[in-house]
Amino acid sequence: MRYRYALTGLGIFIFVGALLLILQPEIQKLFVSPSPTPTNQHEKSVSKVSTVSEIRCQGDQMCPPGNIPCPSNGICPSQGGGGGGGGGGGGGEDDPPTCEGGGPEIKTPAGGSADDAIQIKNSTQETMYVFIVKNQANLTGGWKSSSAQTPGNAGNTSYYIVGPGDRLGFNPDSSKIWTSAAVCVTRKFPDDKDGFDYDGLTVFEWTVDENIFVDISNTTGTNTKVSLTISGTDKDDISKKCLPDFTGQTKAKYLYKKQGICRYSLKQGGKVGLNKALCKNGPPGDTSNCRDCPTGEDKCPAGFQGTWGCVSQNINDRWGCYQWWANPNNEDSQNWLKVFDQCDFYRWPYDEFILEAPTGYNYTDAYPLKDQCPSIDTDCTNYINSNIYKCMTGGDLEKQCDSDQIRLIENPRKPLRNIKFTKNTKILFDIQEIL
């Protein structure tokens, strides 16, 4: 009997073993994630591990679904919508995957040429979206696009789609005496196009009558590396640049996302404090906020003279702002200014003047002419005779400027003005990178 039970048990063991061998492939499916079938070029270059959210890469491989370089940790960023691991900035939290491009397809090329008066060229490797601001101050109707595209509408803008290597062109309407435009670009289309706004984006501005005004504004933020060239004027060819660089800084400190578009700003997201202790002379109504400097309306009426008291009163309202931004001990302001070491244009709203101070100056001292110019529409003798006025005005008066006293000087980084516009003038904004 013992042998019969032993043989029976052995038979059962052999039967179960054979059954396991037969069912092994199906059992494995229950415990092991299958290898994905590559669906595009980028997915072919990486391999998924058993954790669904983790995609590994190495070397020059790209992460799906777009042009995302392999981060230094070898793990591609999660494709979920909530942020997380590193992305196109080389790893870390600096460039979340939601900064990726994407939007409407190009149906008609922008088709701009080197003959257009204003050119916005896409020198990136991605499709970009060009938004033209429409409002009373920007009479975009005075510019005729050379593109065959029918522009769409997004918020208070019209937009064009420009592929890699293509350019968008504009030419002034000769029937208009004065024409102006403000433009920004992105590599992603806004999630809610009707609510789109350009706060926190680099803004390209131009105005033309007989002369031209050209600006690359970073006063509310930045998202673009761009070079600017101007030819065919009454001056030599002009070459400018604005190449914001976050090297050595925590890029995510400045990053915020609005409508899915990445923007970089000192003031958004609450990541950079106000340093209220350095703001003893802040603007009226918000004396703690020297960073953003919300001074309200200009105190000077129409037709004002540069020597009127209103000018000094404006300076008084902004004095704490000039101090906050110039203070060498203010880490927040100095780090933001370093981002624009390679930029020839303004970096904050009142960057047209820079405060310079003698050694040992207290950056919370009151404005030297505080309350000394009570009338806004008459000459203020104290202001006219001050070192502030002499150093701001330039020309012959600048020779009297005392560099050993507190002073405001004109910022050499500034918009281009008073350049003669001719039929041969060419203005090229060459977009090198969209952050």
Side-chain angles (χ1 to χ4, degrees), residues 383-421:
Y383 170 61
I384 296 171
N385 293 328
S386 71
N387 198 58
I388 298 289
Y389 177 74
K390 293 174 182 176
C391 295
M392 288 178 67
T393 52
D396 292 337
L397 279 175
E398 192 174 27
K399 297 176 182 177
Q400 304 172 34
C401 170
D402 187 347
S403 59
D404 292 329
Q405 293 186 44
I406 188 70
R407 60 202 176 278
L408 290 172
I409 65 167
E410 188 178 7
N411 190 349
R413 305 168 186 252
K414 56 187 176 183
L416 299 168
R417 300 185 178 96
N418 299 323
I419 301 171
K420 186 70 175 178
F421 187 87

Side-chain angles (χ1 to χ4, degrees), residues 274-335:
L274 293 174
N275 278 355
K276 296 179 182 180
L278 302 178
C279 184
K280 299 297 185 185
N281 306 291
D286 191 355
T287 56
S288 68
N289 190 355
C290 290
R291 178 194 65 190
D292 306 336
C293 205
T295 58
E297 293 184 5
D298 192 330
K299 286 185 166 52
C300 289
F304 76 95
Q305 303 294 318
T307 55
W308 284 4
C310 63
V311 180
S312 185
Q313 289 185 25
N314 281 337
I315 297 173
N316 177 74
D317 290 351
R318 303 168 190 169
W319 190 251
C321 308
Y322 289 127
Q323 291 175 315
W324 195 93
W325 281 93
N327 190 340
N329 297 316
N330 185 359
E331 182 178 348
D332 287 329
S333 66
Q334 298 309 302
N335 281 343

Side-chain angles (χ1 to χ4, degrees), residues 113-362:
S113 75
D115 293 328
D116 292 319
I118 306 288
Q119 304 162 39
I120 304 172
K121 182 180 179 182
N122 183 359
S123 290
T124 76
Q125 300 301 310
E126 299 177 88
T127 296
M128 75 179 187
Y129 304 90
V130 180
F131 300 89
I132 317 294
V133 179
K134 299 180 296 183
N135 55 45
Q136 291 298 321
N138 295 288
L139 305 180
T140 54
W143 289 93
K144 295 180 178 178
S145 171
S146 62
S147 175
Q149 281 188 30
T150 300
N153 293 315
N156 194 30
T157 71
S158 297
Y159 70 87
Y160 293 84
I161 305 173
V162 183
D166 199 359
R167 70 182 77 194
L168 183 65
F170 292 93
N171 296 288
D173 184 343
S174 59
S175 66
K176 302 285 184 179
I177 299 175
W178 181 88
T179 54
S180 181
V183 176
C184 60
V185 302
T186 69
R187 60 189 177 102
K188 184 183 186 301
F189 198 70
D191 291 340
D192 173 17
K193 71 181 184 68
D194 293 332
F196 172 71
D197 67 57
Y198 53 95
D199 188 56
L201 304 177
T202 311
V203 177
F204 314 107
E205 302 172 298
W206 65 82
T207 300
V208 173
D209 43 29
E210 293 181 353
N211 296 320
I212 57 175
F213 169 103
V214 181
D215 187 23
I216 299 175
S217 175
N218 307 277
T219 56
T220 68
T222 189
N223 77 317
T224 306
K225 294 186 178 182
V226 59
S227 63
L228 169 68
T229 56
I230 302 178
S231 61
T233 70
D234 60 331
K235 302 181 183 300
D236 292 336
D237 289 355
I238 298 168
S239 179
K240 297 285 185 179
K241 63 183 180 302
C242 192
L243 310 174
D245 185 0
F246 294 91
T247 301
Q249 299 202 51
T250 304
K251 193 175 180 182
K253 184 177 183 179
Y254 308 107
L255 169 64
Y256 73 106
K257 286 167 288 186
K258 190 173 182 181
Q259 296 151 347
I261 296 171
C262 285
R263 310 155 192 241
Y264 296 85
S265 171
L266 191 67
K267 67 180 183 178
Q268 295 288 351
K271 300 174 186 176
V272 180
L274 293 174
N275 278 355
K276 296 179 182 180
L278 302 178
C279 184
K280 299 297 185 185
N281 306 291
D286 191 355
T287 56
S288 68
N289 190 355
C290 290
R291 178 194 65 190
D292 306 336
C293 205
T295 58
E297 293 184 5
D298 192 330
K299 286 185 166 52
C300 289
F304 76 95
Q305 303 294 318
T307 55
W308 284 4
C310 63
V311 180
S312 185
Q313 289 185 25
N314 281 337
I315 297 173
N316 177 74
D317 290 351
R318 303 168 190 169
W319 190 251
C321 308
Y322 289 127
Q323 291 175 315
W324 195 93
W325 281 93
N327 190 340
N329 297 316
N330 185 359
E331 182 178 348
D332 287 329
S333 66
Q334 298 309 302
N335 281 343
W336 180 252
L337 295 177
K338 287 177 184 175
V339 168
F340 298 98
D341 279 347
Q342 297 298 313
C343 184
D344 298 319
F345 297 89
Y346 295 158
R347 305 152 295 178
W348 67 283
Y350 292 109
D351 202 21
E352 70 269 37
F353 289 104
I354 300 173
L355 185 146
E356 289 191 344
T359 303
Y361 173 72
N362 184 347

